């Protein structure tokens, strides 16, 4: 479609606040939310890996220990099998802690992902896709310096996704501001 083609042929011009990537075309500016775009890419990778039984797992040499509240522990106990299905391998460490032994390779911070899953009762009744979506929510760190090669790679990966224009939670990944919009802002 036209928007995909325009984005594909746009030119990287920089970043803003270390979280927005800027691309230009002959008549518009694309602003990509790095976090939302990465979430979309990681969610679709994880979802595809789960559906094809080809989970890429990162084994940890030493486990990550997480202290749990009473409520988090109950949620963990009730949803452990589902959490395992998305590649987060956890065991009870002691009365107040669980240990993460392995996690999906697409998830950069398994502790944040597990905490996101244990922060709500919904995880207990959620389907695997919803759990994968929530696990990917915090999968990208803000404030990473973005170089041109990384920006171009992110754009290419995003364009390969089924739904490049929204993150897994429905927020936009890209906005387009055309020349007419800017001219109006400058009262031209």
């Amino acid at each position: 479609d036209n928007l995909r083609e325009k984005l594909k042929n746009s030119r990287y011009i920089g970043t803003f606040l270390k979280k927005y990537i800027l691309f230009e075309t002959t008549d518009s500016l694309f602003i990509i939310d790095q976090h939302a775009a990465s979430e979309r890419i990681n969610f679709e990778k994880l979802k595809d890996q789960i559906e094809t039984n080809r989970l890429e797992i990162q084994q940890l040499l030493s486990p990550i220990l997480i202290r749990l509240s009473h409520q988090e522990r109950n949620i963990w106990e009730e949803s452990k099998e589902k959490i395992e299905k998305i590649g987060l391998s956890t065991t009870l460490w002691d009365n107040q802690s669980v240990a993460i032994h392995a996690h999906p390779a697409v998830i950069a911070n398994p502790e944040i992902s597990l905490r996101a899953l244990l922060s709500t009762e919904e995880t207990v009744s959620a389907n695997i896709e919803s759990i994968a979506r929530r696990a990917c929510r915090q999968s990208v760190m803000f404030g990473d310096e973005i170089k041109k090669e990384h920006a171009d790679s992110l754009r290419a990966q995003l364009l390969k996704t089924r739904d490049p224009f929204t993150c897994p939670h429905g927020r936009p990944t890209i906005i387009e501001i055309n020349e007419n919009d800017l001219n109006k802002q400058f009262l031209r």
Side-chain angles (χ1 to χ4, degrees):
D1 91 340
N2 189 26
L3 201 54
R4 273 182 196 258
E5 205 54 40
K6 271 179 88 172
L7 181 59
K8 183 180 177 190
N9 296 318
S10 64
R11 187 175 70 84
Y12 172 77
I13 57 170
T15 61
F16 181 62
L17 301 175
K18 290 187 180 176
K19 61 179 165 179
Y20 300 107
I21 306 170
L22 311 176
F23 288 90
E24 71 174 347
T25 67
T26 52
D27 65 350
S28 63
L29 175 68
F30 283 108
I31 303 171
I32 298 179
D33 179 324
Q34 174 195 1
H35 187 268
S38 297
E39 257 186 60
R40 165 55 61 190
I41 293 161
N42 291 347
F43 167 67
E44 286 197 14
K45 278 183 189 168
L46 183 57
K47 186 173 178 259
D48 290 346
Q49 288 175 16
I50 292 167
E51 287 171 357
T52 59
N53 285 322
R54 291 195 179 129
L55 264 175
E56 289 176 32
I57 301 296
Q58 176 72 53
Q59 297 290 336
L60 299 172
L61 293 174
S62 54
I64 298 170
L65 301 181
I66 300 175
R67 273 183 83 80
L68 301 181
S69 69
H70 185 66
Q71 183 185 3
E72 287 171 327
R73 175 158 174 196
N74 290 341
I75 294 168
W76 175 80
E77 285 174 353
E78 291 180 54
S79 55
K80 184 181 179 332
E81 284 81 27
K82 287 180 183 177
I83 291 170
E84 196 85 26
K85 281 190 180 132
I86 67 153
L88 261 171
S89 173
T90 58
T91 58
L92 195 60
W93 189 260
D94 60 30
N95 246 354
Q96 290 105 16
S97 310
V98 295
I100 300 174
H101 302 283
H103 62 87
V106 299
I107 290 178
N109 192 321
E111 180 176 354
I112 290 175
S113 292
L114 183 61
R115 286 217 180 272
L117 293 172
L118 299 181
S119 69
T120 174
E121 286 282 344
E122 290 170 27
T123 300
V124 175
S125 58
N127 62 26
I128 297 302
E129 184 175 326
S130 297
I131 287 174
R133 183 176 291 121
R134 183 158 306 152
C136 286
R137 182 165 214 155
Q138 303 296 335
S139 64
V140 183
M141 299 300 113
F142 282 111
D144 292 343
E145 190 66 51
I146 305 159
K147 302 277 183 270
K148 180 186 186 309
E149 296 73 27
H150 180 223
D152 286 335
S153 169
L154 190 83
R155 173 184 55 182
Q157 289 179 64
L158 185 61
L159 284 167
K160 286 180 192 160
T161 64
R162 288 183 285 283
D163 186 4
F165 301 108
T166 60
C167 82
H169 313 283
R171 295 186 311 273
T173 55
I174 303 166
I175 60 168
E176 179 184 20
I177 302 171
N178 65 35
E179 187 180 4
N180 290 337
D181 296 334
L182 285 173
N183 286 342
K184 284 179 196 161
Q185 292 290 320
F186 288 107
L187 307 176
R188 285 178 169 229

